[in-house]
Amino acid sequence: MRADAICTHRVSIITGHYGTGKTEFAVNLALQLAGLNHQVMVADLDIVNPYFRSRERRDLLQEAGIRLISSSQACSDADVPALPAELLTILENRDITGVLDIGGDPVGARVLARFNDKIVPEDYQLIYVLNANRPEVRTPEAAIAYLRGIEATTSLTCTGIVNNTHLCGETTAEEIRKGARLAETVSQETGIPVLCHVAEERFIPELSDLSEPVFPITIQMKKPWE
């Protein structure tokens, strides 16, 4: 599946519970969009959780011609609740394909509230990344409650679900299928479509039985101790 089949809107807002791998998804999405000749900007708006932030791959993104904006801080592991004024460039310049990587909980998602009047009129999508191995969202009821909490906080409507179920280095094709079953149930109960299933390229041949397309990724984000 190509990135532009996922990003059918000009601005894609990536959210979900922390630890779901939403930043990994956002970085891969941006890199593939750039490879398809999109003028891409990534906004790292995770000012709550100090780990797995898009800014950690600043050099990689810049080498691909992607402009990265983030909160103004020299230390990537510090939490400073400040948003860059450059965010308005993504929202106002309609030649840009924007990927917004926001905090992984309703508190983190709150950073978007001040920009609602700019976001709502734009061509945007709010993507909910789901990992069935996160204890807080491993049941349909919990996953839906979390999704609705993010919607309530941002005053935005979720438009798509992405299954990114993994166990880091212990991921198997069956784990991804487990996530697919959860995502399908959440989709049926909310009416929000499943956009895709995320998997490392090595798993693609094993996942041809899934109903929705598979988005292939290469692991870019490293654990803090690696």
Side-chain angles (χ1 to χ4, degrees):
M1 183 183 197
R2 286 170 38 134
D4 53 359
I6 297 173
C7 293
T8 55
H9 300 259
R10 189 180 68 78
V11 177
S12 297
I13 303 168
I14 314 300
T15 187
H17 193 277
Y18 62 86
T20 56
K22 62 185 179 55
T23 294
E24 185 73 76
F25 172 65
V27 168
N28 273 270
L29 195 64
L31 289 170
Q32 292 191 36
L33 286 168
L36 294 169
N37 298 317
H38 286 254
Q39 184 181 349
V40 183
M41 286 184 69
V42 172
D44 177 356
L45 301 183
D46 191 345
I47 59 176
V48 174
N49 188 341
Y51 301 119
F52 300 109
R53 289 170 164 175
S54 305
R55 74 189 72 171
E56 296 170 22
R57 292 296 172 264
R58 182 183 298 274
D59 291 345
L60 175 67
L61 294 169
Q62 289 180 342
E63 287 172 6
I66 298 168
R67 184 176 171 188
L68 173 69
I69 61 175
S70 62
S71 56
S72 55
Q73 55 192 59
C75 177
S76 63
D77 291 337
D79 286 321
V80 178
L83 293 176
E86 289 177 295
L87 178 58
L88 292 177
T89 304
I90 291 180
L91 301 178
E92 295 176 348
N93 185 341
R94 291 174 181 166
D95 292 327
I96 289 172
T97 299
V99 177
L100 278 58
D101 180 11
I102 69 172
D105 57 21
V107 174
R110 192 171 297 151
V111 300
L112 287 182
R114 62 180 284 195
F115 295 100
N116 272 12
D117 61 333
K118 294 287 186 181
I119 294 172
V120 172
E122 293 301 320
D123 180 27
Y124 82 90
Q125 59 184 355
L126 180 66
I127 296 175
Y128 181 58
V129 179
L130 187 59
N131 180 348
N133 288 319
R134 295 303 300 169
E136 298 87 346
V137 292
R138 63 173 43 158
T139 67
E141 295 78 15
I144 292 169
Y146 209 86
L147 185 159
R148 296 307 188 197
I150 290 173
E151 287 184 321
T153 300
T154 61
S155 297
L156 301 174
T157 300
C158 180
T159 55
I161 299 166
V162 166
N163 166 36
N164 190 28
T165 298
H166 65 87
L167 283 171
C168 297
E170 304 301 316
T171 303
T172 64
E174 185 50 42
E175 287 296 324
I176 297 169
R177 289 192 188 91
K178 178 177 73 176
R181 292 190 290 271
L182 175 62
E184 180 60 30
T185 301
V186 172
S187 175
Q188 290 174 351
E189 295 189 14
T190 62
I192 301 170
V194 177
L195 299 180
C196 66
H197 308 283
V198 177
E200 291 180 70
E201 294 185 5
R202 61 193 173 101
F203 291 117
I204 302 300
E206 301 178 64
L207 298 173
S208 60
D209 57 312
L210 294 179
S211 300
E212 297 82 14
V214 178
F215 180 66
I217 64 166
T218 301
I219 300 299
Q220 304 291 351
M221 305 303 298
K222 303 298 182 182
K223 301 180 184 68
W225 53 88
E226 292 182 332

